[in-house]
Amino acid sequence: MAWQGIVDEYRSRLELSPGAKAVSLLEGRTPLVPLPRLARSLGEGVELYAKFEGLNPSGSFKDRGMTVAVTQAVHDGAQAVVCASTGNTAASAAAYAARAGIKCVVVVPEGKVALGKLAGAIAYGAQVVQIRGSFDDALLMVREASQRSALCLVNSVNPSRIEGQKTAAFEVVDDLGDAPDFLCLPVGNAGNTTAYWKGFSDELQTGRTTKRPVVVGVQAAGSAPMVLGHPVTDPQTVATAIRIGNPARWNEAATAFRESGGHVRAVSDDAILAMARALAQEEGVFCEPSSATGLAGFAKAVAEGAIDPRGKRVVAVVTGHGMKDPDNAMAGRPAPVTIDATTDALLREVER
Ligand SMILES: *Cc1c(COP(=O)(O)O)cnc(C)c1O
């Protein structure tokens, strides 16, 4: 049977009002792409995979949570949704609101959102509001706005978002036949960490797996509140999707790291960009900088001897597609050359 999307494929395993009619773009069922070259650089016998969430309809894992959140919102009679966003939540909320035929308001930090994400939110017809402030400011604003109006909040503080996003863990188990030994992922607002841990915990409870993975969460060094142990007021990183100084799901994510025997760590922007480039050039997986952060941090942990992955299965969550952040993809790279329109000129150029 054709794929139904997250709500109808997993309805019996989601907390969702019975009978709620799915608002879906047939998200989910993303590939678990083997990364053999990068695996070799991590050590002997490492099995490394990317859960490539950039292949969801609006280009990030946010679609998994958004289909459930908007389905529930519409079932509850909502006429409008609102979110704060570093970009991907905005694009996703806008897409699902369009699908549902309801209004969408997105609040973003001015000048800090990748071009393709802003373009998405606008293309899907959302009302885009930029603020002179941070993501954390925006989240406070929309939390309060949703209390003072009929706007339904669809940030990952909304439990339906976690429900939808946990299905990525189910799919990993479907593909591997068990949980992996390690899961590494970027940590911004920490909703996705919370969701994967819930998903793997559900799987263990139902007996579909024999274990839960060790979870390694990774923040950018300039935006690493959970590593520092306190909120960061002016987070800075090239990885804009995780440029968050006070994660809303801090406690839940901390529980996941502790219970799994994992930890949260930080990596430099240079290491993030180098891993994004390695994923694209060595494996053909083009992701935005934030999405390479989990694997960049995992590789650093291995290099430092904090983790021994030899003979183990590792899943890196690659959270969003690179095409939404063209500026970072091209920054610091040579511009393409222009030549005369002759074959001789082309062959000269190729041999240079
Ligand atoms: C939202 C997002 C993250 C961070 O996820 P959290 O749930 O906020 O921790 C990482 N990468 C991308 C591409 C995202 O869109």
Side-chain angles (χ1 to χ4, degrees):
M1 199 160 90
W3 179 255
Q4 307 278 304
I6 295 298
V7 169
D8 285 329
E9 289 290 333
Y10 297 110
R11 190 180 283 274
S12 67
R13 304 177 69 186
L14 301 176
E15 266 179 54
L16 177 69
S17 292
K21 188 171 171 301
V23 177
S24 176
L25 287 161
L26 308 188
E27 60 294 312
R29 200 175 57 169
T30 55
L32 194 64
V33 183
L35 304 176
R37 289 196 184 83
L38 291 175
R40 243 173 276 137
S41 69
L42 288 179
E44 187 92 14
V46 176
E47 253 185 67
L48 177 66
Y49 301 89
K51 180 65 172 161
F52 192 16
E53 291 288 280
L55 296 180
N56 278 297
S58 84
S60 81
F61 73 83
K62 300 300 197 301
D63 293 342
R64 289 181 188 276
M66 206 56 75
T67 181
V68 180
V70 173
T71 294
Q72 185 67 54
V74 168
H75 181 76
D76 294 340
Q79 303 284 330
V81 293
V82 67
C83 64
S85 181
T86 59
N88 281 329
T89 301
S92 185
Y96 285 85
R99 193 75 176 164
I102 62 174
K103 185 179 162 80
C104 178
V105 181
V106 305
V107 183
V108 300
E110 182 187 27
K112 303 296 181 193
V113 175
L115 184 63
K117 302 178 187 180
L118 206 56
I122 290 168
Y124 293 124
Q127 181 176 359
V128 178
V129 182
Q130 303 193 97
I131 61 162
R132 290 180 284 273
S134 67
F135 169 85
D136 301 282
D137 297 327
L139 184 58
L140 285 174
M141 288 166 61
V142 297
R143 284 179 104 145
E144 201 175 312
S146 68
Q147 279 158 13
R148 285 168 46 184
S149 72
L151 293 166
C152 175
L153 183 63
V154 293
N155 279 104
S156 62
V157 294
N158 178 328
S160 296
R161 284 278 309 278
I162 305 299
E163 284 298 300
Q165 286 167 213
K166 79 182 180 185
T167 61
F170 300 168
E171 293 177 11
V172 168
V173 170
D174 285 342
D175 287 352
L176 295 180
D178 200 346
D181 298 297
F182 292 97
L183 181 84
C184 60
L185 78 176
V187 179
N189 220 17
N192 213 29
T193 307
T194 304
Y196 270 91
W197 191 239
K198 188 161 194 217
F200 283 117
S201 299
D202 284 1
E203 291 286 52
L204 185 65
Q205 201 160 38
T206 57
R208 287 187 74 223
T209 55
T210 61
K211 62 189 171 203
R212 296 184 292 185
V214 172
V215 181
V216 178
V218 187
Q219 301 197 296
S223 178
M226 292 191 67
V227 179
L228 297 170
H230 58 78
V232 173
T233 42
D234 187 21
Q236 296 296 340
T237 171
V238 68
T240 50
I242 54 172
R243 192 171 176 276
I244 293 176
N246 191 12
R249 297 271 184 184
W250 182 313
N251 289 336
E252 291 97 322
T255 301
F257 301 135
R258 192 180 57 248
E259 286 186 355
S260 74
H263 64 276
V264 59
R265 60 171 43 238
V267 275
S268 67
D269 278 8
D270 283 348
I272 291 169
L273 292 172
M275 184 56 79
R277 189 181 295 194
L279 277 162
Q281 298 190 354
E282 293 177 38
E283 301 285 10
V285 173
F286 178 25
C287 67
E288 64 173 279
S290 303
S291 305
T293 301
L295 190 51
F298 189 84
K300 182 162 178 258
V302 172
E304 289 173 358
I307 286 173
D308 181 359
R310 283 174 299 178
K312 303 289 191 190
R313 271 178 166 173
V314 183
V315 170
V317 183
V318 176
T319 45
H321 207 290
M323 288 194 291
K324 290 209 275 187
D325 195 351
D327 294 328
N328 269 316
M330 296 178 72
R333 314 298 296 282
V337 298
T338 303
I339 59 168
D340 290 333
T342 69
T343 308
D344 282 349
L346 174 61
L347 291 176
R348 247 191 331 270
E349 188 56 38
V350 171
E351 279 156 23
R352 247 158 44 97

Coordinates of all heavy atoms in Angstrom, one line a residue, residues 254-316:
A254 N 18.4 16.4 28.9 CA 19.4 16.1 29.9 C 19.1 14.6 30.4 O 20.1 13.9 30.6 CB 19.4 17.1 31.0
T255 N 17.9 14.3 30.6 CA 17.5 13.0 31.0 C 17.9 11.9 30.0 O 18.4 10.9 30.3 CB 16.0 12.9 31.2 OG1 15.6 13.9 32.2 CG2 15.5 11.5 31.7
A256 N 17.7 12.3 28.7 CA 18.0 11.3 27.6 C 19.5 11.0 27.6 O 20.0 9.9 27.5 CB 17.6 11.9 26.3
F257 N 20.3 12.1 27.8 CA 21.8 11.9 27.8 C 22.2 11.0 29.0 O 23.0 10.1 28.9 CB 22.5 13.2 27.8 CG 22.2 14.1 26.6 CD1 22.0 15.5 26.8 CD2 22.2 13.6 25.3 CE1 21.7 16.3 25.7 CE2 21.9 14.4 24.2 CZ 21.6 15.8 24.4
R258 N 21.6 11.3 30.1 CA 22.0 10.6 31.4 C 21.6 9.2 31.3 O 22.4 8.3 31.5 CB 21.4 11.4 32.6 CG 22.0 10.9 33.9 CD 21.3 11.6 35.1 NE 19.9 11.5 35.1 CZ 19.0 12.5 34.9 NH1 19.4 13.7 34.6 NH2 17.7 12.3 34.9
E259 N 20.3 9.0 31.0 CA 19.8 7.6 31.0 C 20.4 6.7 30.0 O 20.5 5.5 30.2 CB 18.2 7.6 30.8 CG 17.5 8.1 32.0 CD 16.0 7.9 31.8 OE1 15.5 7.5 30.7 OE2 15.2 8.2 32.8
S260 N 20.8 7.3 28.9 CA 21.4 6.5 27.8 C 22.9 6.2 28.0 O 23.5 5.4 27.2 CB 21.2 7.2 26.4 OG 22.1 8.3 26.3
G261 N 23.5 6.9 28.9 CA 24.9 6.8 29.1 C 25.7 7.7 28.1 O 26.9 7.5 27.9
G262 N 25.0 8.6 27.5 CA 25.6 9.5 26.6 C 26.0 10.8 27.2 O 26.1 10.9 28.4
H263 N 26.1 11.8 26.4 CA 26.5 13.2 26.9 C 26.2 14.2 25.9 O 25.9 13.9 24.7 CB 27.9 13.2 27.4 CG 28.9 13.0 26.3 ND1 29.3 11.8 25.8 CD2 29.6 14.0 25.5 CE1 30.2 12.0 24.8 NE2 30.3 13.3 24.6
V264 N 26.3 15.5 26.3 CA 26.2 16.6 25.4 C 27.5 17.3 25.3 O 28.2 17.4 26.3 CB 25.0 17.6 25.8 CG1 25.2 18.2 27.2 CG2 24.9 18.7 24.7
R265 N 27.9 17.6 24.1 CA 29.3 18.3 23.9 C 29.2 19.4 22.9 O 28.1 19.6 22.2 CB 30.3 17.2 23.5 CG 30.0 16.5 22.2 CD 31.1 15.7 21.7 NE 31.8 14.9 22.7 CZ 33.1 15.0 23.0 NH1 33.9 15.8 22.3 NH2 33.6 14.2 23.9
A266 N 30.3 20.1 22.7 CA 30.3 21.2 21.8 C 31.3 21.0 20.7 O 32.3 20.4 20.9 CB 30.6 22.5 22.5
V267 N 31.1 21.6 19.5 CA 32.1 21.6 18.5 C 32.1 23.0 17.9 O 31.2 23.8 17.9 CB 31.8 20.7 17.3 CG1 32.3 19.3 17.5 CG2 30.4 20.7 16.8
S268 N 33.3 23.3 17.3 CA 33.5 24.7 16.7 C 32.7 24.8 15.4 O 32.4 23.8 14.7 CB 35.0 24.9 16.4 OG 35.4 24.0 15.4
D269 N 32.5 26.0 15.0 CA 31.9 26.2 13.7 C 32.7 25.7 12.5 O 32.2 25.1 11.6 CB 31.6 27.7 13.4 CG 30.4 28.2 14.1 OD1 29.7 27.5 14.9 OD2 30.0 29.4 13.9
D270 N 34.0 25.8 12.7 CA 34.9 25.2 11.6 C 34.7 23.7 11.5 O 34.7 23.2 10.3 CB 36.4 25.5 12.0 CG 36.8 27.0 11.7 OD1 36.0 27.7 11.0 OD2 37.9 27.4 12.1
A271 N 34.6 23.0 12.6 CA 34.4 21.6 12.5 C 33.0 21.2 11.9 O 32.9 20.3 11.2 CB 34.5 21.0 13.9
I272 N 32.1 22.1 12.2 CA 30.7 21.8 11.7 C 30.7 22.0 10.2 O 30.2 21.2 9.4 CB 29.7 22.8 12.3 CG1 29.5 22.5 13.8 CG2 28.4 22.9 11.5 CD1 28.7 23.6 14.5
L273 N 31.4 23.1 9.7 CA 31.4 23.3 8.3 C 32.3 22.3 7.5 O 31.9 21.8 6.4 CB 32.0 24.7 8.0 CG 31.1 25.9 8.4 CD1 31.8 27.2 8.3 CD2 29.8 25.9 7.6
A274 N 33.3 21.8 8.2 CA 34.2 20.8 7.6 C 33.4 19.5 7.5 O 33.5 18.8 6.4 CB 35.4 20.5 8.4
M275 N 32.5 19.1 8.5 CA 31.8 17.9 8.4 C 30.6 18.0 7.3 O 30.3 17.1 6.6 CB 31.2 17.5 9.7 CG 30.4 16.2 9.7 SD 31.4 14.8 9.2 CE 32.4 14.4 10.6
A276 N 30.0 19.2 7.2 CA 29.0 19.4 6.2 C 29.6 19.2 4.8 O 29.0 18.6 3.9 CB 28.4 20.8 6.3
R277 N 30.9 19.7 4.6 CA 31.5 19.6 3.4 C 31.9 18.1 3.1 O 31.7 17.6 2.0 CB 32.8 20.5 3.3 CG 33.4 20.5 1.9 CD 34.6 21.3 1.9 NE 34.4 22.8 2.2 CZ 35.3 23.7 1.9 NH1 36.5 23.4 1.4 NH2 35.0 25.0 2.2
A278 N 32.3 17.4 4.1 CA 32.7 16.0 4.0 C 31.4 15.2 3.6 O 31.5 14.3 2.8 CB 33.3 15.5 5.3
L279 N 30.3 15.5 4.3 CA 29.1 14.7 4.0 C 28.7 14.9 2.5 O 28.3 14.0 1.8 CB 28.0 15.2 4.9 CG 27.9 14.6 6.2 CD1 27.0 15.4 7.2 CD2 27.4 13.1 6.1
A280 N 28.9 16.2 2.0 CA 28.5 16.5 0.6 C 29.5 15.9 -0.4 O 29.1 15.2 -1.3 CB 28.4 18.0 0.4
Q281 N 30.8 16.1 -0.1 CA 31.8 15.7 -1.1 C 32.3 14.3 -1.0 O 32.7 13.7 -2.0 CB 33.0 16.7 -1.0 CG 32.6 18.1 -1.2 CD 33.7 19.1 -1.3 OE1 34.9 18.7 -1.1 NE2 33.4 20.3 -1.6
E282 N 32.2 13.6 0.2 CA 32.6 12.3 0.3 C 31.5 11.3 0.2 O 31.7 10.1 0.0 CB 33.4 12.1 1.6 CG 34.7 12.8 1.6 CD 35.5 12.7 2.9 OE1 35.5 11.6 3.5 OE2 36.1 13.7 3.3
E283 N 30.3 11.7 0.5 CA 29.1 10.8 0.6 C 27.9 11.2 -0.3 O 27.0 10.5 -0.4 CB 28.6 10.7 2.1 CG 29.7 10.1 3.0 CD 30.0 8.7 2.9 OE1 29.6 8.0 1.9 OE2 30.7 8.1 3.8
G284 N 28.0 12.5 -0.8 CA 26.8 12.9 -1.6 C 25.6 13.3 -0.8 O 24.5 13.3 -1.4
V285 N 25.8 13.6 0.4 CA 24.7 14.0 1.3 C 24.8 15.5 1.6 O 25.7 15.9 2.3 CB 24.6 13.2 2.6 CG1 23.5 13.8 3.5 CG2 24.3 11.7 2.3
F286 N 24.0 16.4 1.0 CA 24.1 17.8 1.1 C 23.1 18.3 2.2 O 21.9 18.2 2.1 CB 23.7 18.4 -0.2 CG 23.8 19.9 -0.3 CD1 24.5 20.7 0.5 CD2 23.0 20.6 -1.3 CE1 24.6 22.1 0.4 CE2 23.0 22.0 -1.4 CZ 23.8 22.7 -0.5
C287 N 23.7 18.8 3.3 CA 22.9 19.2 4.4 C 23.3 20.6 4.8 O 24.4 21.1 4.5 CB 23.0 18.3 5.6 SG 24.6 18.2 6.4
E288 N 22.5 21.3 5.6 CA 22.8 22.6 6.2 C 23.8 22.4 7.3 O 23.9 21.3 7.9 CB 21.6 23.3 6.6 CG 20.8 22.7 7.7 CD 19.7 23.6 8.2 OE1 20.0 24.5 9.0 OE2 18.5 23.4 7.8
P289 N 24.5 23.5 7.7 CA 25.6 23.3 8.8 C 25.0 22.6 10.1 O 25.6 21.7 10.6 CB 26.0 24.7 9.0 CG 25.8 25.4 7.7 CD 24.6 24.8 7.2
S290 N 23.9 23.1 10.5 CA 23.3 22.5 11.8 C 23.2 21.0 11.7 O 23.4 20.3 12.7 CB 21.9 23.0 12.1 OG 21.9 24.4 12.1
S291 N 22.9 20.5 10.5 CA 22.6 19.1 10.3 C 23.9 18.2 10.4 O 23.8 17.0 10.5 CB 21.9 18.9 9.0 OG 20.7 19.7 8.9
A292 N 25.0 18.9 10.2 CA 26.3 18.1 10.2 C 26.9 18.2 11.6 O 27.9 17.5 11.9 CB 27.3 18.7 9.3
T293 N 26.2 18.9 12.5 CA 26.8 19.1 13.9 C 26.8 17.9 14.7 O 27.8 17.6 15.5 CB 25.9 20.2 14.6 OG1 26.0 21.4 13.8 CG2 26.5 20.5 16.0
G294 N 25.8 17.0 14.6 CA 25.8 15.8 15.4 C 27.0 14.9 15.1 O 27.7 14.4 16.0
L295 N 27.2 14.7 13.8 CA 28.3 13.8 13.4 C 29.7 14.5 13.6 O 30.7 13.8 14.0 CB 28.2 13.5 11.9 CG 29.1 12.4 11.4 CD1 29.1 11.1 12.2 CD2 28.7 12.0 9.9
A296 N 29.7 15.8 13.5 CA 31.0 16.6 13.8 C 31.4 16.3 15.2 O 32.5 16.1 15.6 CB 30.8 18.0 13.5
G297 N 30.4 16.4 16.1 CA 30.7 16.2 17.5 C 31.0 14.8 17.9 O 31.9 14.5 18.7
F298 N 30.3 13.9 17.2 CA 30.6 12.4 17.4 C 32.1 12.1 17.0 O 32.8 11.5 17.7 CB 29.6 11.6 16.7 CG 29.7 10.1 17.0 CD1 29.1 9.6 18.1 CD2 30.5 9.2 16.2 CE1 29.1 8.3 18.5 CE2 30.6 7.9 16.6 CZ 29.9 7.4 17.7
A299 N 32.5 12.6 15.8 CA 33.8 12.4 15.3 C 34.8 13.0 16.3 O 35.9 12.4 16.5 CB 34.0 13.0 13.9
K300 N 34.5 14.1 16.9 CA 35.4 14.7 17.9 C 35.5 13.9 19.1 O 36.6 13.7 19.7 CB 34.9 16.2 18.2 CG 35.8 16.9 19.2 CD 35.5 18.4 19.1 CE 36.3 19.2 20.1 NZ 35.5 19.6 21.3
A301 N 34.4 13.3 19.6 CA 34.4 12.5 20.7 C 35.3 11.2 20.5 O 36.0 10.8 21.4 CB 33.0 12.1 21.1
V302 N 35.2 10.7 19.3 CA 36.0 9.5 18.9 C 37.5 9.9 18.9 O 38.3 9.2 19.4 CB 35.6 9.0 17.5 CG1 36.5 7.9 17.1 CG2 34.1 8.4 17.7
A303 N 37.8 11.1 18.3 CA 39.2 11.5 18.2 C 39.8 11.7 19.5 O 41.0 11.5 19.8 CB 39.3 12.8 17.3
E304 N 39.0 12.2 20.5 CA 39.5 12.5 21.8 C 39.5 11.2 22.7 O 39.9 11.3 23.9 CB 38.6 13.5 22.5 CG 38.7 14.9 21.9 CD 37.7 15.9 22.5 OE1 36.9 15.5 23.3 OE2 37.8 17.1 22.1
G305 N 39.0 10.1 22.2 CA 39.0 8.9 22.9 C 37.8 8.8 23.9 O 37.8 7.9 24.8
A306 N 36.9 9.7 23.8 CA 35.7 9.7 24.7 C 34.7 8.6 24.4 O 33.9 8.1 25.2 CB 35.0 11.0 24.8
I307 N 34.8 8.2 23.1 CA 33.9 7.1 22.6 C 34.7 6.2 21.7 O 35.5 6.6 20.9 CB 32.7 7.7 21.7 CG1 31.7 8.5 22.6 CG2 32.1 6.7 20.9 CD1 30.7 9.2 21.8
D308 N 34.4 4.9 21.9 CA 35.1 3.9 21.0 C 34.0 3.2 20.2 O 33.2 2.3 20.7 CB 35.8 2.8 21.9 CG 36.5 1.8 21.0 OD1 36.4 1.9 19.7 OD2 37.1 0.9 21.5
P309 N 33.9 3.6 18.9 CA 32.8 3.1 18.1 C 33.1 1.8 17.3 O 32.3 1.4 16.5 CB 32.5 4.2 17.1 CG 33.9 4.8 16.9 CD 34.7 4.6 18.2
R310 N 34.3 1.2 17.5 CA 34.7 0.1 16.7 C 33.7 -1.0 16.8 O 33.3 -1.5 17.9 CB 36.1 -0.3 17.1 CG 37.2 0.6 16.5 CD 38.6 0.2 17.0 NE 38.6 0.3 18.5 CZ 39.7 0.0 19.2 NH1 40.8 -0.4 18.6 NH2 39.7 0.1 20.5
G311 N 33.3 -1.5 15.6 CA 32.4 -2.6 15.5 C 30.9 -2.3 15.9 O 30.1 -3.1 16.1
K312 N 30.7 -1.0 16.0 CA 29.3 -0.5 16.5 C 28.6 0.1 15.3 O 29.1 0.6 14.3 CB 29.5 0.5 17.6 CG 30.3 0.0 18.8 CD 29.5 -1.0 19.6 CE 30.2 -1.2 20.9 NZ 29.7 -2.4 21.6
R313 N 27.2 0.1 15.5 CA 26.3 0.8 14.6 C 26.0 2.2 15.1 O 25.6 2.4 16.3 CB 25.0 0.1 14.5 CG 25.0 -1.0 13.5 CD 23.7 -1.7 13.6 NE 23.4 -2.5 12.4 CZ 22.4 -3.3 12.3 NH1 21.5 -3.4 13.3 NH2 22.2 -4.0 11.2
V314 N 26.2 3.2 14.2 CA 26.1 4.6 14.6 C 25.1 5.2 13.6 O 25.2 5.1 12.4 CB 27.4 5.4 14.5 CG1 27.2 6.8 15.0 CG2 28.5 4.7 15.4
V315 N 24.1 5.9 14.2 CA 23.2 6.7 13.3 C 23.3 8.2 13.6 O 23.2 8.6 14.8 CB 21.7 6.3 13.5 CG1 20.7 7.3 12.8 CG2 21.5 4.9 13.0
A316 N 23.6 8.9 12.6 CA 23.7 10.4 12.7 C 22.5 11.0 12.1 O 22.1 10.7 11.0 CB 25.0 10.9 12.0

